[in-house]
Amino acid sequence: MGRIASLDVLRGVGVLGMLAVHIQLFAFPSLTRWNPTAYGDFSGLNWWVWLATSVLADGKFISIFAMLVGASIVMRPGGAGDGAAAAWRPHMLRMTALLVLGLLHAYLLWYGDMLVALALCGALFFLARGLSPRWLLVTGGVVFATASVLSLALTWSAAQSDPVALVLWREQWTPRPEVIALEIAQYRGGWGEQMAHRVPAAWEFHTWSFPIRFLWQMTGLMLLGMALFKLGVLSAARSRAFYLRMAALGFGAGTLLISLGLWRSFATGWDLLEYVLVSQELRYWGNLLVALGWVALVMLLCQRNWPLRPVAAVGRMALTNYLLQTLICTTIFYGHGLGLFGQVDRAGQFAIVLGVWAFQLLASSAWLRYFAVGPVEWLTRWFVFGRRPSFLRSSPAGAGV
């Protein structure tokens, strides 16, 4: 299929937006991603940066990216009952490539990788591409809600039946200064020293967090993405009034839920059980709504013909840019580079995000003037289709959207 401009732009927005959230994991001890009071200055400009990130970015752009994976599954050659077998093989090879890249990324570079979750979920629900939009919406909603049900049930059960485990969990939630200091020392050290934290953190995500939460969350989002693509929502094909209503509902209701969750966390002093049972779930559903608000806003901008070609260029090289963000940020914050882990406050982190955004917008546009695809995308296509794709553009006249 020919490229759909709105999908490239939306993918670019997703990749760039994720960095505003992930920078916290690159720069600070891991617990501050969920409990911001655990480390670092949390006042003034730093507080406002954290608040804006929590309300507008955290959990929203990975949701958009998961929806786009679902849309890409629908876009594979062959319809619901025609050519399904022909579409299945390249899709599974594509998911295999993402899985391998994700595992290398998670265990060798950065434990916060999301490619493994996207690859596994994308492989599991390929056949759902043949469902009608209505059934995709219903199934996606049910699957997405399963993560909430499991999290609430397991947390409540553990709190009631195993008080010792609950005490240990609370200690992890508000770690002792020496635990924080150890993680900082590990990431300011060499690559081998970093592995002492990176490998257990990635393993915990793949063996605990993924089956309980991320499997259902990512799969539900992919099914919703399939439905939205079939309904023309992701290709900017709906009316301006439709997207205005979608944006108002998404940002309005989503921001309200997230704000209630944050208010509850502050009111209870970031208590563990209150966060997991109440605040986290309000944010979970609020994130989905705000993500839909962002989708609507991007579609409106595409319809208004805003100059979004640099963002689309980032989206066309989404996989390359996602991995490039890790290389840049680990070089800045980890000991094998500048070793600034734990030293840059939240305002400084956002300044770095702005710099990386500017670089990726310029570099992606420049790259696509001369090359057909990004380097990682080129290798992935070679693996999927079994033949070396064209790398150079036929004409360096400019990078089309």
Side-chain angles (χ1 to χ4, degrees):
M1 296 180 65
R3 300 201 70 89
I4 299 176
S6 60
L7 292 183
D8 284 334
V9 173
L10 192 57
R11 195 176 293 111
V13 169
V15 172
L16 295 172
M18 282 192 289
L19 179 60
V21 181
H22 292 163
I23 193 74
Q24 302 170 72
L25 292 177
F26 286 120
F28 268 5
S30 53
L31 185 58
T32 55
R33 171 71 167 75
W34 295 273
N35 181 358
T37 64
Y39 181 82
D41 179 63
F42 198 51
S43 62
L45 182 58
N46 290 312
W47 187 86
W48 285 106
V49 168
W50 171 85
L51 179 65
T53 302
S54 297
V55 174
L56 297 175
D58 198 340
K60 288 72 172 175
F61 296 106
I62 184 58
S63 297
I64 291 174
F65 214 79
M67 292 181 202
L68 289 172
V69 173
S72 71
I73 293 174
V74 175
M75 293 173 65
R76 294 298 95 192
D82 178 32
W88 179 83
R89 185 178 183 277
H91 172 74
M92 295 306 294
L93 287 173
R94 181 169 169 248
M95 295 300 104
T96 299
L98 286 181
L99 177 62
V100 172
L101 283 173
L103 290 171
L104 294 173
H105 184 219
Y107 289 97
L108 299 181
L109 295 175
W110 180 55
Y111 62 90
D113 167 81
M114 294 303 301
L115 296 180
V116 171
L118 293 173
L120 292 175
C121 295
L124 288 174
F125 281 81
F126 173 76
L127 295 179
R129 68 200 290 268
L131 295 176
S132 68
R134 176 182 295 181
W135 279 107
L136 285 169
L137 288 173
V138 171
T139 306
V142 170
V143 172
F144 187 81
T146 302
S148 283
V149 174
L150 280 176
S151 178
L152 290 171
L154 291 174
T155 301
W156 183 257
S157 175
Q160 298 299 313
S161 62
D162 196 345
V164 175
L166 181 60
V167 170
L168 294 175
W169 194 10
R170 286 188 183 278
E171 289 182 356
Q172 293 178 339
W173 182 250
T174 53
R176 298 183 302 275
E178 56 267 26
V179 175
I180 292 287
L182 175 60
E183 184 177 344
I184 292 174
Q186 288 170 331
Y187 280 108
R188 288 183 186 173
W191 181 81
E193 294 174 79
Q194 300 162 21
M195 296 293 281
H197 181 273
R198 180 186 297 118
V199 171
W203 180 252
E204 180 181 357
F205 174 77
H206 294 149
T207 58
W208 175 252
S209 300
F210 175 73
I212 291 176
R213 192 169 194 89
F214 287 98
L215 169 63
W216 310 99
Q217 179 185 9
M218 294 295 107
T219 301
L221 290 166
M222 287 181 189
L223 294 171
L224 294 175
M226 293 182 194
L228 293 177
F229 180 78
K230 289 189 174 186
L231 292 169
V233 176
L234 301 182
S235 51
R238 305 301 293 263
S239 68
R240 182 171 180 268
F242 174 88
Y243 289 120
L244 286 173
R245 290 193 298 268
M246 181 176 170
L249 176 62
F251 283 116
T255 299
L256 177 61
L257 288 178
I258 294 168
S259 299
L260 287 173
L262 294 177
W263 170 81
R264 184 69 182 178
S265 293
F266 281 107
T268 58
W270 291 88
D271 177 76
L272 171 63
L273 285 183
E274 286 286 345
Y275 175 82
V276 176
L277 294 175
V278 181
S279 302
Q280 180 176 248
E281 296 309 317
L282 289 172
R283 296 179 68 180
Y284 180 72
W285 290 95
N287 289 346
L288 171 61
L289 292 171
V290 174
L292 293 173
W294 278 115
V295 170
L297 178 59
V298 171
M299 295 303 105
L300 285 169
L301 296 179
C302 289
Q303 287 184 340
R304 302 287 289 181
N305 294 318
W306 274 47
L308 300 172
R309 183 166 291 189
V311 181
V314 173
R316 290 180 61 183
M317 298 173 55
L319 189 53
T320 295
N321 279 307
Y322 175 70
L323 297 175
L324 181 60
Q325 288 173 355
T326 294
L327 293 177
I328 293 173
C329 291
T330 53
T331 300
I332 292 173
F333 294 109
Y334 290 0
H336 59 262
L338 300 179
L340 297 179
F341 188 83
Q343 298 184 46
V344 181
D345 63 16
R346 290 175 172 88
Q349 292 169 26
F350 187 66
I352 292 173
V353 168
L354 294 177
V356 175
W357 283 353
F359 171 75
Q360 291 194 308
L361 288 166
L362 294 172
S364 297
S365 298
W367 179 276
L368 290 177
R369 289 194 183 97
Y370 302 99
F371 300 97
V373 292
V376 181
E377 287 79 5
W378 181 74
L379 290 172
T380 302
R381 291 184 187 185
W382 192 351
F383 172 77
V384 170
F385 297 106
R387 61 182 183 274
R388 186 171 62 184
S390 175
F391 196 34
L392 293 173
R393 288 179 58 84
S394 57
S395 170
V401 176

